[in-house]
Amino acid sequence: MSLPPVLYHYFPKPLPYGPTLALQERLHQIQLSQRRAGSHSDILLLLQHRPVYTAGRRQTEAEIHHERVRLTGLGADFVTTARGGQTTYHGPGQLVGYPLLDLSRTTPTMGIRDYICRMQKSLERYLREVHGIEHFPSEHTGVFLDECTKIASIGVQVRHRLTSHGFAMNVTQEPVRWFEQVVACGLTDVKAGSIEGALRKEVGVEAVAMGMVDIYRSVFERDFAKLDLNTSGEIGEVIAELEDVALKAGDWPTSPITMQ
C-alpha cells in the first residue's frame, strides 16, 4: 500500500520559539488522535525563528542559569526544550525543518538511528547537489564544511514512533554573529558557517526550503504535497493561528546587543 504524501508548509515570517514548540505538541496530539482511525498526516514544517537560544533536555537549570541571563541580555529569547543536544541558536537567516513523521508507517519500521542518518544525508545532498558544497566528514552529528566549521545541526525527539524537532541549517550570515556568543552544541573548537559564507553570494531561505523538500522526497522515498490551510481541518487552523502570531510580533533584533 502506498503512503499518503507528506504535507509541507513554509512560514514566511520568523516565528517565536515558544508558540512554535506548542504547535509541534498540538500537531503531535492531533496525529496520535487521528492515527487510531488510520487517517493521520505526516507533516514537514519549514521556517525561521525569531532570535532564540535553546538548551537540551539533559541540561539542568543550575548549569544554564548564567547563560540564560547573559544571552537574554543580548536581545534573544532562551528556552529549554525536550530535544537532545546542548545549547544552540535559531534565528532569521537559518532554515529550520520540523518533520512530524510516523516512523511506524515504513516497512520495515524505520529506527531512530536510520531516521537521523537520513536527515543528515538530506542536508549533505542538498548542499552538494544544489550548491556544489561538499561536507566534511565528522564524528559529530550535524553537517560540517571543514573540521571547525558547522553549517547544520540536528536534534530530534521521538514519542510513540512520531518525530518532532529536526534540523537547522544556516543560510545567510546573520545567524553566524549570534552563534559567536556561545559554545554551540558543546563543541569548543567549532564555529558556525553558512551557505552564503561558503558561496560568497546571497541565498534566499525560502528557495533553500523548497530545495530541501525535493531532497527529502528522494531520501525518504515519499511524495510531498503543499499543505492547504483552508482544507486541512484542525491542522490548517493551528498553523494559520501561529502565522498570525508571527505577523503581530513585529520586528526582531538583527544582531546581538552587547551589554554594557
Side-chain angles (χ1 to χ4, degrees):
M1 173 186 277
S2 62
L3 294 174
V6 178
L7 303 178
Y8 71 89
H9 181 74
Y10 175 74
F11 292 83
K13 290 281 187 181
L15 305 178
Y17 192 86
T20 309
L21 202 62
L23 172 66
Q24 286 192 77
E25 183 61 31
R26 182 67 190 120
L27 292 175
H28 175 81
Q29 294 302 323
I30 292 172
Q31 287 175 317
L32 275 179
S33 175
Q34 295 180 347
R35 184 162 68 177
R36 299 187 184 96
S39 60
H40 62 299
S41 298
D42 289 314
I43 303 165
L44 173 61
L45 304 177
L46 296 161
L47 54 106
Q48 300 171 75
H49 278 300
R50 297 170 66 87
V52 60
Y53 292 95
T54 67
R57 62 178 176 266
R58 292 189 176 91
Q59 294 175 274
T60 67
E61 180 58 29
E63 293 172 331
I64 63 176
H65 176 73
H66 175 74
E67 284 292 85
R68 180 190 298 274
V69 173
R70 182 178 70 87
L71 295 173
T72 53
L74 298 176
D77 293 329
F78 191 101
V79 180
T80 300
T81 74
R83 62 161 174 80
Q86 300 187 55
T87 302
T88 191
Y89 170 79
H90 300 305
Q94 178 191 74
L95 175 66
V96 174
Y98 292 138
L100 310 177
L101 309 178
D102 185 350
L103 298 184
S104 67
R105 272 183 156 160
T106 59
T107 305
T109 299
M110 187 184 301
I112 296 174
R113 184 180 297 274
D114 184 20
Y115 170 66
I116 293 174
C117 286
R118 291 194 190 203
M119 184 178 293
Q120 176 144 341
K121 182 179 179 181
S122 298
L123 294 164
E124 293 168 353
R125 276 189 56 178
Y126 172 79
L127 290 170
R128 181 179 66 253
E129 295 180 9
V130 178
H131 297 292
I133 299 173
E134 292 291 343
H135 77 281
F136 181 87
S138 174
E139 62 181 0
H140 302 292
T141 302
V143 182
F144 289 74
L145 298 179
D146 56 46
E147 187 176 7
C148 299
T149 308
K150 189 175 186 180
I151 193 171
S153 299
I154 294 171
V156 305
Q157 182 182 29
V158 181
R159 293 171 294 162
H160 309 290
R161 309 300 301 161
L162 296 171
T163 69
S164 58
H165 296 276
F167 70 85
M169 180 161 56
N170 299 329
V171 177
T172 75
Q173 282 290 90
E174 185 173 349
V176 175
R177 296 190 294 270
W178 291 90
F179 269 110
E180 290 172 349
Q181 304 298 319
V182 294
V183 178
C185 304
L187 303 176
T188 57
D189 297 327
V190 172
K191 63 182 181 179
S194 70
I195 297 176
E196 283 191 350
L199 298 179
R200 299 187 182 280
K201 67 177 184 180
E202 292 186 2
V203 180
V205 176
E206 184 172 1
V208 175
M210 296 305 100
M212 281 300 299
V213 170
D214 291 336
I215 295 295
Y216 255 63
R217 183 180 288 115
S218 174
V219 172
F220 283 85
E221 301 176 299
R222 294 283 300 273
D223 289 332
F224 280 71
K226 187 175 181 180
L227 190 149
D228 186 338
L229 299 184
N230 296 316
T231 61
S232 299
E234 188 176 5
I235 291 174
E237 291 173 6
V238 293
I239 289 177
E241 288 173 3
L242 183 54
E243 287 202 327
D244 189 50
V245 169
L247 187 63
K248 292 177 179 177
D251 295 333
W252 55 87
T254 57
S255 62
I257 302 170
T258 304
M259 295 181 68
Q260 301 298 321

